[in-house]
Amino acid sequence: MSDIVVIGSFVADNVVTVKEFPKEGQTVLGDTFHVYLGGKGINQAVAARRAGCSVDMFGCIGNDSNGDAFLKLLEEEKIGLKGVKICSHIATSVAQIQINAAGENKIIVIPAANHAYDKKDLHDAEPYLKKAKMVLIQMELPQSINFETIEMCADLGIPVLLNPAPACPIPNSILNKIDYLTPNESELEILTGKKSSTLESVEEASQKLLDCGVKSVLVTLGKRGVYLSTNSQKKLFKGHSVNAVDTVGAGDCFNGVFASYLVRGKTIEEAIMAANAAAALSVTKHGSTPSFPYEEQINKYMQS
């Protein structure tokens, strides 16, 4: 049993780098192609583990070469894998990712095995949830699974961090059971129906989520940093200026590291600062999990 349980996705990322994104109907020549092991679930699990926490991962992979690679990654990172379901009838999820010269990205995800994780699998995970200090969820599994996980954790008294990506409307009956909600600007707009182009509008939209019962809202703003909103605190934590080459997985890195520092007794402010630093380090390298820093690297960067 581990400090953090991640219930989420596995996605094999097929990453192409290109100077400029093609316009509709246009063919362009790319620069490089790589396959990385990603998906918001496994990304956050690896980030949390490297930041110093024990982690158990729950989700579904196919009985294929990508699935085998994920099992190897879990073993190498020393992440608990007893909750990983292997399906013989469906492939491991894949994503097609384009990254331009500015480090911006466009992503298409094929859910495949991620959507084979069902309610029986979730209830089999309950003994692990009961022992966890925090449960991390994203939205690449079926929404029925995500929402039921939140309700289970609320009944068990286990704090939940939901990274609402890809975003969709969430009913108030679920929002009021979330301890930490971590949208980016576009996800915040989808969740609230409010524009979030300025800091003032981010604050207004965040307050709407607090009014619905969310305990803490952390809006990731890219290089501008992170905006924290609770009923007792509103604060912008500024981002770090780095040479970004690949922003894929930066948000996942933030979530995993934030959770890891928080469950080990750091304050929410300390956890945000560590997660901010880790996310900044991650965008200076290509790939999602290959770019995630370890605890000593995070602390060294903050000290410098």
Side-chain angles (χ1 to χ4, degrees), residues 23 35 138 150 215 252 282 300:
K23 298 178 176 64
V35 178
Q138 319 78 38
I150 292 168
K215 296 181 180 64
D252 299 326
S282 77
K300 183 178 179 180

Side-chain angles (χ1 to χ4, degrees), residues 15-22 27-33 96-104 106:
V15 181
V16 173
T17 60
V18 63
K19 290 182 177 61
E20 294 183 3
F21 295 131
T27 298
V28 300
L29 295 178
D31 296 321
T32 63
F33 172 77
Q96 190 270 326
I97 300 173
Q98 300 174 5
I99 302 170
N100 68 10
E104 300 166 328
K106 292 185 176 182

Side-chain angles (χ1 to χ4, degrees), residues 24 53 75 129 152 157 176 192 196 213 218-219 223 251 269 300:
E24 186 174 351
C53 252
E75 291 174 351
L129 300 182
M152 282 178 63
N176 65 22
T192 64
S196 56
L218 293 83
V219 185
K223 61 185 178 182
E269 294 88 352
K300 183 178 179 180

Side-chain angles (χ1 to χ4, degrees), residues 166-184:
C168 73
I170 300 175
N172 288 356
S173 60
I174 298 297
L175 286 172
N176 65 22
K177 296 178 174 67
I178 297 172
D179 298 274
Y180 304 95
L181 187 67
T182 60
N184 62 22

Side-chain angles (χ1 to χ4, degrees), residues 27 72-73 108 114 135 154 166 169 175 206 226 236 240 271 276 294 303-304:
T27 298
K72 182 179 179 182
L73 174 64
I108 300 172
N114 286 329
V135 174
L175 286 172
S206 299
V226 177
L236 175 66
H240 298 268
N276 239 353
Y294 291 85
Q303 290 167 2
S304 65

Side-chain angles (χ1 to χ4, degrees), residues 252-264:
D252 299 326
C253 183
F254 175 89
N255 280 278
V257 173
F258 171 77
S260 186
Y261 275 69
L262 204 62
V263 303
R264 289 184 294 132

